[in-house]
Amino acid sequence: MICVNAADTINGQIFTIVHEIAHVWRGASGVSDGPIVHDTESELERWCNAVASETLVPARDLRQQLHRKLTEDTLTGTLDELANRYHCGTLVVLLQLKRIRALALSDFDAAYTSERARLNRLAAQAPPSSGGGNFYANQRYRVGGRLSRAIIADTAEGTTSIAEAMRLTSIKSLSTFDKFAKQMVGA
């Protein structure tokens, strides 16, 4: 089983999935709850990070994208451009830059610390979440519109019990199911 933190960014979730698939390939558990740590991780974690980084940011293509020398002044912009190109986080790009030796270890340590601080500042400036959206609108996509309507129709006809319909739609309260059904019938 692979678990992904839904609070992570989409890019972070993608990295986690690929990283955890690498654990599956190796046949080794990957239970972890911390951020990517670049200097204290086990050999297995380094290998899984390398697999995920290479999958998301292929070294050959990355080398082709580095048209200019990376300096402290150009690194942040370059990281953002590359992260957009590869649909991953800037820290993943940074780790891959280290792996292909585009950055010296001392430069990498400083860049990693600086980039983490920059990302933390950006996160602190982000507007607070509104609470996750409308449950009923999201539920339709979680279960599927066609399946939801079929379950509701079968329940109304008496073919499916209300308890079974609630189980199939992962709804725990009868009033919530009723409200969901009314919204689906109107949809």
Side-chain angles (χ1 to χ4, degrees), residues 62-63 66 70 96-104 107:
L62 179 59
R63 282 187 191 95
L66 293 177
L70 294 174
Q96 190 67 331
L97 288 170
K98 175 187 170 192
R99 284 189 188 90
I100 69 167
R101 293 177 172 41
L103 288 175
D107 294 338

Side-chain angles (χ1 to χ4, degrees), residues 84-159:
N84 285 333
R85 174 181 175 78
Y86 298 114
H87 306 288
C88 67
T90 54
L91 294 176
V92 174
V93 173
L94 199 53
L95 287 167
Q96 190 67 331
L97 288 170
K98 175 187 170 192
R99 284 189 188 90
I100 69 167
R101 293 177 172 41
L103 288 175
L105 184 58
S106 60
D107 294 338
F108 171 78
D109 288 338
Y112 192 90
T113 300
S114 174
E115 185 62 13
R116 289 280 310 256
R118 182 180 83 95
L119 294 173
N120 286 335
R121 283 192 308 275
L122 289 172
Q125 294 170 357
S129 172
S130 65
N134 179 313
F135 169 81
Y136 300 99
N138 291 334
Q139 186 68 5
R140 182 170 130 196
Y141 293 102
R142 243 183 248 118
V143 176
R146 180 179 284 175
L147 178 59
S148 294
R149 284 188 292 280
I151 291 169
I152 291 164
D154 282 358
T155 304
E157 291 172 3
T159 309

